[in-house]
């Protein structure tokens, strides 16, 4: 129930939708019930049970006003018509009113469904946006721990499930409940005795359905979990199609897919089995009760023990047969909503996830970078038991370049991730111009930095948008940046120049071209601090020269932390830190490090020059 009302609250302001919805459904139900109660006069006419004396009695009552009950009003006018036009006239009158009331009932039904649809659409759109915007605020580490497909399916299919089930329960919860109440009132007004007899069944079926529902929720959770694994698998497969084909791994992937698909199938089947049980159960219960009423009520009528007329009794049965439908709809909606609730919980869980890296209250806004970044005895671990960085200290002064080198997995990229505060150190601290990174806003910190990552991160968009990337740069500025990045020429050679769309993750470009676009993006941002994670993928000499040139231009007059895989890049760095297994093992300038006899750097250097 808590989940449900939280989900509903995404359609704020609720009142604006719910009030007209409830109102129109109420009116629709009133006319819906009226249809059936009108059967009584109709049947009475057919069975010749209307006599002039009774009609006169109705007419002797005072003329109906707004306060009189609908039955009174109806009887009065019915009698009037009867007196004036006779039986056929009365028949026409009743039929006319039936048609009118069906018409009105359906007009209002339509209006209420429209309200419901717009309510639903709004709720789901807000929910989807909220979950997406909350998710992109989360810390980077969250995304390496969660499977992407899991996140995607929460934002797509889970939200969809919520939409379906909320809409169903909402319409059942209002429209059907009104209808049910209306019918019950009508039934009670015809015969209290029979109705009490019928109502006994409700707690019986209620208990049964409640047990079903609990089981169904577990199935639904299992099902959604399986579905997200499927989406993850799809994402990984389509993203890595080249490797899948190259290694002839289609069979392997297909097996994995089958396994997940089978799990999903079982969950869905078990859910459906239970769900489908609800409806035949309530139907059998309903018919059994009708039979009971026929027996009990029929014997009352036949033995003349009750003042129930045959016409009333038939109308009673007719209305009662209608009760089962909303009752069934309510129980179906209730059981169907379990899927939606399970999904809703998954969505809310994502919304409630707290970012491990957050601006603290009263965080200061950094001014322009003016002095130094100081990394002081920093240790870091992704998972508690395996430290990745141990006691790292260095200072990056304005205008200088520090290079990180070392063997793969040593922790270089991790150090680079700490500077823009993608992660917080486990111990130690990092200060920028004397301010601890945890005391300033992330936005003002990151605004100072340009980041070129180990893999070029591009989006399926135009080259222009990939370089401008959210900034309001003009075409001239983008072109200038591309020129400095040695990218202008190849961009102009593309079919649509800067407006060429580059495919998923820039798949239509070469590795070196992708890198130069990433560099152009950083040049355009023109940040005082640069963090470069040099790509490991080997480029041919020509391409490497272009990229290298672009990088050198990017680095001029900036403060740079560069992770270098080619030692040629860093011969002019002001300090080189050699990182191995999370520690700085050597530090100094290029020639100083080369002069160390048993040095790590010297070994790296001889390996590369072979
Ligand atoms: N998101 C992560 N979660 C857990 N462990 C991680 C994560 N990212 C990296 N690691 C681990 O941290 C260690 C350091 O990784 P890092 O990426 O910093 O190495 P690197 O020096 O940049 O290596 P390379 O030269 O290959 O790029 C590795 O042992 C790696 O397995
Ligand atoms: Mg790395």
């Amino acid at each position: 129930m808590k989940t449900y009302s939280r989900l509903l609250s995404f359609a704020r302001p609720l009142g604006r939708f719910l009030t007209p919805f409830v109102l129109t459904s109420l009116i629709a139900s009133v006319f819906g019930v009226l249809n059936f109660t009108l059967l009584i006069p109709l049947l009475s006419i057919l069975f010749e049970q209307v006599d002039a004396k009774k009609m006169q009695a109705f007419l002797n009552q005072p003329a109906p006003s707004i306060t009189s009950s609908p039955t009174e009003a109806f009887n009065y006018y019915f009698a009037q018509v009867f007196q004036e036009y006779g039986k056929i006239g009365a028949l026409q009158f009743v039929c006319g009113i039936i048609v009118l009331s069906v018409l009105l009932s359906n007009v209002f039904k339509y209006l209420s469904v429209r309200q419901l649809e717009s309510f639903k659409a709004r709720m789901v759109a807000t929910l989807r946006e909220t979950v997406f915007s909350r998710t992109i605020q989360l810390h980077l580490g969250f995304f390496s721990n969660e499977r992407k497909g899991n996140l995607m399916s929460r934002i797509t299919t889970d939200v969809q499930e919520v939409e379906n089930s909320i809409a169903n329960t909402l319409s059942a919860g209002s429209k059907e409940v009104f209808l049910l109440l209306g019918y019950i009132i009508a039934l009670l007004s015809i015969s209290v005795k029979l109705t009490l007899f019928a109502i006994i069944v409700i707690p019986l079926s209620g208990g049964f359905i409640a047990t079903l529902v609990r089981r169904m929720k577990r199935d639904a959770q299992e099902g959604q979990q399986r579905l997200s694994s499927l989406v993850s698998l799809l994402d990984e497969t389509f993203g890595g199609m080249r490797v899948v084909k190259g290694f002839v791994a289609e069979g392997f992937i297909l097996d994995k897919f089958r396994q997940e698909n089978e799990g999903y199938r079982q969950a869905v089947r078990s859910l459906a089995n239970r769900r489908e049980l609800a409806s035949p159960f309530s139907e059998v219960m309903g018919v059994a009760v009708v039979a009971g009423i026929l027996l009990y009520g029929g014997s009352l009528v036949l033995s003349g023990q009750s003042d129930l007329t045959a016409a009333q009794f038939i109308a009673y049965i007719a209305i009662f047969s209608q009760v089962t439908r909303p009752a069934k709809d309510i129980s179906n909606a209730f059981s169907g909503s379990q899927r939606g609730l399970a999904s809703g919980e998954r969505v809310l869980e994502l919304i409630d996830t707290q970012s491990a890296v957050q601006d603290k209250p009263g965080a200061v806004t950094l001014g322009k970078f003016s002095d130094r970044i100081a990394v002081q005895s920093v240790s870091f671990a992704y998972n508690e038991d395996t430290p990745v960085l141990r006691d790292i200290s260095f200072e990056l002064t304005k205008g200088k370049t520090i290079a990180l080198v070392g063997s793969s997995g040593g922790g270089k990229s991790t150090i680079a991730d700490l500077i823009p505060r993608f992660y917080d150190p486990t111990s130690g601290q990092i200060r920028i111009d004397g301010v601890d990174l945890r005391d300033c806003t992330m936005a003002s910190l990151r605004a100072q930095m340009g980041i070129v990552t180990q893999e070029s991160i591009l989006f399926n968009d135009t080259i222009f948008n990939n370089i401008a990337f959210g900034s309001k740069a003009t075409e001239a500025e983008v072109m200038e940046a591309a020129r400095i990045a040695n990218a202008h020429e190849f961009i102009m050679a593309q079919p649509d120049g800067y407006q060429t769309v580059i495919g998923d993750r820039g798949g239509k470009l070469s590795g070196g071209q992708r890198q130069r676009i990433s560099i152009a993006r950083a040049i355009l941002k023109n940040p005082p601090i640069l963090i470069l994670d040099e790509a490991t993928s080997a480029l041919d000499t020509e391409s490497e020269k272009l990229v290298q040139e672009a990088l050198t231009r990017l680095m001029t007059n900036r403060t740079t932390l560069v992770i270098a895989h080619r030692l040629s890049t860093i011969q002019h760095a002001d300090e080189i830190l050699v990182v191995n297994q999370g520690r700085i093992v050597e530090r100094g300038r290029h020639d100083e490090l080369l002069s160390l006899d048993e040095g790590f750097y010297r070994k790296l250097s001889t390996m590369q020059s072979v």
Side-chain angles (χ1 to χ4, degrees):
M1 207 53 215
K2 228 169 78 199
T3 314
Y4 194 78
S5 61
R6 254 196 86 188
L7 289 172
L8 278 189
S9 71
F10 279 94
R12 252 190 282 262
L14 277 177
R16 223 179 76 204
F17 291 91
L18 285 188
T19 319
F21 170 64
V22 169
L23 225 59
T24 44
S25 341
L26 192 64
I27 298 176
S29 330
V30 167
F31 284 110
V33 175
L34 200 60
N35 282 336
F36 284 93
T37 40
L38 284 173
L39 277 177
I40 301 177
L42 185 71
L43 291 168
S44 301
I45 297 167
L46 290 177
F47 293 160
E48 307 250 0
Q49 282 195 344
V50 219
D51 54 52
K53 234 198 272 156
K54 214 165 163 191
M55 291 299 114
Q56 197 49 54
F58 286 141
L59 280 179
N60 290 340
Q61 311 267 328
S65 62
I66 312 176
T67 50
S68 50
S69 79
T71 331
E72 275 169 15
F74 178 80
N75 284 344
Y76 182 83
Y77 291 114
F78 179 72
Q80 226 173 25
V81 173
F82 183 81
Q83 297 294 53
E84 226 166 289
Y85 304 101
K87 275 187 189 156
I88 296 294
L91 185 63
Q92 287 166 344
F93 174 70
V94 172
C95 290
I97 291 195
I98 289 183
V99 171
L100 188 69
S101 106
V102 170
L103 181 73
L104 286 176
S105 155
N106 280 288
V107 167
F108 281 101
K109 215 187 276 175
Y110 170 70
L111 289 178
S112 87
V113 170
R114 278 184 55 141
Q115 285 297 331
L116 180 66
E117 287 299 321
S118 79
F119 172 85
K120 193 172 82 170
R122 185 190 170 97
M123 183 193 80
V124 168
T126 323
L127 182 63
R128 198 178 284 128
E129 187 185 313
T130 311
V131 63
F132 182 68
S133 72
R134 293 280 310 187
T135 309
I136 55 176
Q137 297 296 332
L138 288 174
H139 56 284
L140 204 60
F142 178 81
F143 296 92
S144 31
N145 291 331
E146 276 290 329
R147 287 185 80 176
K148 232 181 344 165
N150 187 354
L151 297 177
M152 292 197 295
S153 73
R154 286 190 200 207
I155 298 172
T156 54
T157 52
D158 280 319
V159 171
Q160 201 63 44
E161 280 296 338
V162 169
E163 169 171 3
N164 295 337
S165 80
I166 293 274
N168 284 342
T169 44
L170 207 59
S171 82
S174 49
K175 200 172 68 205
E176 306 295 348
V177 165
F178 292 142
L179 211 53
L180 191 63
L181 282 179
Y183 284 139
I184 290 180
I185 292 172
L187 289 177
L188 279 171
S189 69
I190 299 177
S191 166
V192 179
K193 233 193 220 165
L194 282 183
T195 311
L196 287 182
F197 171 77
I199 282 181
I200 299 173
V201 202
I202 293 177
L204 260 174
S205 23
F208 175 75
I209 292 193
T211 351
L212 264 189
V213 157
R214 268 197 301 279
R215 300 258 170 88
M216 281 166 58
K217 187 154 173 201
R218 262 196 318 234
D219 288 336
Q221 278 162 342
E222 167 79 15
Q224 288 310 105
Q225 189 54 45
R226 290 290 186 162
L227 190 60
S228 17
S229 306
L230 264 185
V231 177
S232 286
L233 186 66
L234 291 184
D235 173 55
E236 285 161 10
T237 308
F238 297 147
M241 221 50 216
R242 183 173 284 117
V243 178
V244 173
K245 291 207 169 294
F247 284 82
V248 202
E250 288 98 337
F252 171 69
I253 294 283
L254 189 58
D255 275 345
K256 278 176 87 155
F257 185 87
R258 280 206 189 105
Q259 205 180 336
E260 295 295 347
N261 203 19
E262 175 63 18
Y264 182 56
R265 185 186 69 86
Q266 281 174 3
V268 168
R269 196 196 52 192
S270 146
L271 184 67
N273 285 351
R274 296 215 164 94
R275 191 186 53 221
E276 294 311 322
L277 203 56
S279 152
F281 174 79
S282 32
E283 178 137 359
V284 170
M285 286 301 264
V287 171
V289 174
V290 170
I293 291 174
L294 264 176
L295 204 65
Y296 178 57
S299 62
L300 285 185
V301 174
L302 286 179
S303 62
Q305 277 178 9
S306 129
D307 48 5
L308 216 56
T309 64
Q312 281 173 322
F313 184 56
I314 294 179
Y316 188 93
I317 299 286
I319 296 176
F320 194 85
S321 67
Q322 294 298 308
V323 169
T324 43
R325 195 189 52 81
K328 219 167 85 181
D329 283 354
I330 289 173
S331 82
N332 281 352
F334 196 53
S335 48
S337 71
Q338 295 312 307
R339 236 180 125 138
L341 281 185
S343 288
E345 274 167 19
R346 282 162 51 87
V347 176
L348 291 178
E349 187 191 32
L350 190 53
I351 289 179
D352 290 338
T353 308
Q354 288 296 320
S355 180
V357 181
Q358 274 180 324
D359 281 345
K360 71 178 197 188
V364 296
T365 307
L366 281 182
K368 201 165 164 46
F369 176 61
S370 60
D371 181 30
R372 69 188 60 225
I373 295 175
V375 177
Q376 300 165 337
S377 336
V378 161
S379 300
F380 179 76
Y382 287 103
N383 318 308
E384 273 158 35
D385 20 315
T386 39
V388 170
L389 297 180
R390 288 170 246 230
D391 199 23
I392 302 283
S393 299
F394 62 89
E395 280 202 352
L396 178 54
T397 343
K398 188 172 156 75
K400 303 278 192 226
T401 296
I402 285 192
L404 299 174
V405 295
S407 49
S408 180
K412 303 179 296 292
S413 297
T414 308
I415 295 178
D417 278 348
L418 293 179
I419 309 287
R421 204 182 165 209
F422 289 145
Y423 299 94
D424 280 330
T426 326
S427 68
Q429 52 182 328
I430 302 177
R431 292 172 178 275
I432 176 165
D433 291 343
V435 184
D436 192 300
L437 295 190
R438 285 167 287 205
D439 294 334
C440 58
T441 63
M442 284 184 281
S444 67
L445 173 69
R446 291 173 191 170
Q448 319 261 355
M449 299 183 182
I451 299 168
V452 179
T453 48
Q454 208 161 0
E455 295 144 50
S456 317
I457 311 288
L458 300 179
F459 291 84
N460 192 354
D461 200 344
T462 60
I463 293 179
F464 180 90
N465 285 339
N466 266 292
I467 296 179
F469 205 55
S471 74
K472 293 195 179 58
T474 63
E475 186 157 0
E477 287 165 335
V478 168
M479 281 192 187
E480 180 58 24
R483 263 194 207 99
I484 300 175
N486 272 339
H488 182 71
E489 263 155 52
F490 91 79
I491 295 172
M492 291 314 281
Q494 298 290 315
D496 298 315
Y498 280 81
Q499 297 306 321
T500 310
V501 175
I502 55 176
D504 269 2
R505 291 167 206 171
K508 294 182 184 168
L509 298 177
S510 80
Q513 290 171 337
R514 283 203 290 269
Q515 283 180 20
R516 280 177 279 158
I517 290 194
S518 310
I519 294 170
R521 182 192 285 161
I523 290 175
L524 184 72
K525 187 178 177 189
N526 194 20
I529 303 166
L530 259 187
I531 296 169
L532 295 181
D533 203 340
E534 212 183 53
T536 29
S537 57
L539 301 173
D540 63 70
T541 351
E542 174 61 19
S543 179
E544 177 169 348
K545 215 184 93 218
L546 290 173
V547 172
Q548 200 55 60
E549 221 172 74
L551 282 178
T552 315
R553 286 186 203 150
L554 175 62
M555 286 159 68
T556 26
N557 301 325
R558 287 183 226 271
T559 313
T560 311
L561 181 72
V562 54
I563 299 173
H565 294 275
R566 285 170 286 260
L567 300 189
S568 54
T569 320
I570 50 165
Q571 287 175 7
H572 306 293
D574 297 290
E575 189 178 24
I576 298 170
L577 308 177
V578 184
V579 180
N580 192 29
Q581 294 184 355
R583 290 180 199 279
I584 297 178
V585 289
E586 285 167 27
R587 61 203 308 165
R589 296 183 64 91
H590 178 67
D591 35 0
E592 291 167 6
L593 291 177
L594 273 187
S595 65
L596 294 177
D597 268 347
E598 289 293 304
F600 203 94
Y601 187 78
R602 189 168 160 156
K603 256 189 270 169
L604 279 180
S605 164
T606 30
M607 274 189 317
Q608 286 205 358
S609 52
V610 194

